Amino acid sequence: MKGRLRLGVNIDHVATIRNARGGPHPDPLRAAAVAQAAGADGITAHLREDRRHMTDGDIERLVAEIALPLNLEMAATDEMLAIAVKHRPHAACIVPERREEVTTEGGLDAAGGRQGLEPVVGRLTEAGVRVSLFVDPDPAQLDAAAALGVPVIELHTGAYCEAFYEAGATAPATLGELDRLVRGAAHAEALGLECHAGHGLTFDNVTPVAAIPTVMELNIGHFLIGEAIFGGLDSSIKRMRAIMDKARADSLGSRTA
C-alpha cells in the first residue's frame, strides 16, 4: 500500500467566499480546474445541510464537468444519501455534522453509530460509490469501519495540528498525537483499509503526516484557499505538492537505506 501520496484539494471555501456576497464568483469549478493543472489528484467538496459552502448545483456541475475524481463529504442523512446516489461521485466520505459547528470538530463515531451507518454504507456501495469514513485514529473506530465494510478511512488530523501550533513541532503533546496517527495508519493497513488523512494541514505541519508510508492520500482545503489570497491557488497547490512529495521520498529513502 506504499507509494505516491495523492493530494485531494477541498474547494469548499471558494464557495464560502462566493456565498458571502452571492452571485457566481468565485466559481468552485474554476478552482477545480486550477487544482488539476497544479497537480491535484482529486477534488473534495462538502455538501452541508445548511449549504454554507457548496450548493446542490455545484455538486451537479462538478460531477458532470471535472476530469478529476470527486470526493463528496456528506453526513449520514437521508437527504445526503439521496443526493449522493443521484449524482454518483467517485467517492463519498461520511463525516459527522452539527449545524452549529464552524468546521468539523472530530471524527465520526463509527463504533457507536454502526446501526445507522450500515444502510447508508450499503446503499452507497450498491450505487458504485467508494465509501470512506472520517474517523479519529482510535483502534475501536477503525475496527468498526472495517466491520462496516468500507474500503477507505480518513484519519482526522485536527488534534495533531492543534498541538503543533499550540505547543510546537517537538512538544510531547504534538509527538503524542503524531504517534496516534502513525499507529492508526498501521492499524488501518492491518485491517485491509486504505488510509487517507486530513484536517488542519499546512505547509508547516504536513511533512510528518506525509511521511507516514501507509497514508495514501491527504485532503487539504481551507489552508490552500487561504494561501491563494496571497500567492494564487496554483502556487499554493504546487508548493504543497512539492512538500508532500519530498516528505514521502525522504521517508521511503530512509527505510531502504
Side-chain angles (χ1 to χ4, degrees):
M1 295 181 71
K2 303 171 179 65
R4 183 178 183 274
L5 180 60
R6 299 190 299 270
L7 172 60
V9 174
N10 186 314
I11 59 172
D12 284 353
H13 293 290
V14 176
T16 303
I17 297 169
R18 175 198 61 193
N19 297 347
R21 183 166 180 170
H25 304 294
D27 185 358
L29 263 76
R30 184 179 177 188
V34 171
Q36 178 177 352
D41 300 289
I43 298 298
T44 292
H46 187 173
L47 186 65
R48 281 182 170 268
E49 177 193 17
D50 60 8
R51 308 304 198 267
R52 73 178 70 166
H53 305 312
M54 311 302 289
T55 66
D56 298 62
D58 292 329
I59 300 303
E60 185 173 0
R61 292 173 63 212
L62 285 166
V63 170
E65 299 179 32
I66 67 171
L68 292 178
L70 175 64
N71 175 39
L72 175 64
E73 290 185 343
M74 55 174 277
T77 65
D78 290 342
E79 179 193 23
M80 293 303 154
L81 177 59
I83 291 169
V85 169
K86 175 184 177 181
H87 294 298
R88 302 194 181 199
H90 169 75
C93 182
I94 302 176
V95 301
E97 186 176 313
R98 295 190 308 116
R99 182 183 286 268
E100 63 270 24
E101 68 187 0
V102 175
T103 185
T104 305
E105 296 174 343
L108 187 73
D109 184 9
R114 180 174 173 178
Q115 185 174 2
L117 288 169
E118 280 180 334
V120 178
V121 171
R123 186 70 187 91
L124 288 170
T125 302
E126 289 173 3
V129 179
R130 194 178 194 215
V131 185
S132 65
L133 303 182
F134 184 70
V135 295
D136 291 323
D138 179 342
Q141 299 299 338
L142 299 172
D143 291 343
L148 282 162
V150 301
V152 182
I153 55 92
E154 181 170 341
L155 296 180
H156 179 240
T157 57
Y160 157 74
C161 295
E162 289 174 11
F164 186 99
Y165 283 106
E166 290 176 1
T170 60
T174 307
L175 296 178
E177 291 297 341
L178 178 62
D179 184 61
R180 286 185 70 212
L181 292 171
V182 171
R183 288 185 285 111
H187 191 68
E189 182 182 44
L191 292 169
L193 298 169
E194 181 173 310
C195 184
H196 301 176
H199 196 86
L201 295 171
T202 71
F203 295 149
D204 294 331
N205 64 27
V206 73
T207 291
V209 180
I212 302 172
T214 50
V215 171
M216 301 304 295
E217 179 175 305
L218 299 181
N219 284 297
I220 306 173
H222 181 267
F223 175 77
L224 293 175
I225 303 307
E227 283 296 299
I229 295 171
F230 304 104
L233 185 57
D234 175 88
S235 175
S236 67
I237 293 171
K238 285 182 176 178
R239 182 176 174 189
M240 184 63 77
R241 173 81 268 168
I243 293 171
M244 288 169 50
D245 288 345
K246 183 179 187 305
R248 179 53 56 92
D250 289 348
S251 172
L252 294 178
S254 67
R255 291 170 181 270
T256 59

